[in-house]
Structure formats: structure tokens, C-alpha cells
Amino acid sequence: MNNTLAAEHSNDTQKTPTWSLMVVLTGAACAVLRFGGVWSWWALLWVPLLVATAGLMIHQWRVLARRHWRMGIVEWFMLVVAHLGCLAAVGLIIGL
């Protein structure tokens, strides 16, 4: 049992955070919000996109913390773009 737990922990530390999927999901959610509207049937598209993005962001932050903040410059740029995209999507939803 302890070996399984140790193996899972070592696998988590070997992963590197990838923010590209979050950038794609956030971009898709922003596009749906921009061109489809917020409170119409389009909510069936943007709500799952933002929920999936938030879940993946939480997972990637956990991986990043385990990697002791070691990422390349491209990954840091994608992190910023993904978070700014989420903020833009939330801003569109609340009407800013």
C-alpha cells in the first residue's frame, strides 16, 4: 500500500504543468461568450468549458507546486494567458 502511494507521488513530481489546454478551453469559452451571448442556450457550452478549465487549472497548480515552480518561459506565458482569459470570461459573464 505504501509503495503504491510512493509511486503515485513520484509520478506526480515527474509531471510538468502544461497550460496549453487551459488556453484553448478559455479561448473557446471566451469565443462562445463573445459571439453567442451569456444568458441564452449558449450557456450550455460556456459553463462546462469554464468548469473544466477551472478544474484543470487547480490540477496544474498542484503539479506546479510539486515541481517547485520550475517551468520554462513559454509555460509561464501560457499560465498568464490562461488566467487572463478566465478573468475576461468571468468579466463578460458579470457584465464588466
Side-chain angles (χ1 to χ4, degrees):
M1 180 93 178
N2 288 340
N3 291 339
T4 305
L5 193 59
E8 288 176 9
H9 181 61
S10 67
N11 287 339
D12 282 345
T13 56
Q14 297 301 325
K15 292 181 185 175
T16 58
T18 56
W19 298 95
S20 58
L21 183 58
M22 274 62 68
V23 170
V24 171
L25 289 176
T26 305
C30 286
V32 169
L33 284 168
R34 176 74 172 113
F35 297 113
V38 175
W39 301 118
S40 65
W41 68 273
W42 289 98
L44 296 173
L45 292 176
W46 66 259
V47 169
L49 286 171
L50 282 181
V51 169
T53 302
L56 286 170
M57 278 188 180
I58 291 168
H59 174 70
Q60 294 301 330
W61 273 105
R62 289 180 59 216
V63 171
L64 179 62
R66 288 183 180 149
R67 294 274 301 161
H68 303 289
W69 303 92
R70 294 184 192 127
M71 287 193 315
I73 194 74
V74 173
E75 287 86 9
W76 282 107
F77 178 73
M78 291 182 114
L79 178 143
V80 170
V81 169
H83 285 74
L84 288 176
C86 273
L87 287 174
V90 170
L92 283 171
I93 292 168
I94 62 174
L96 292 179

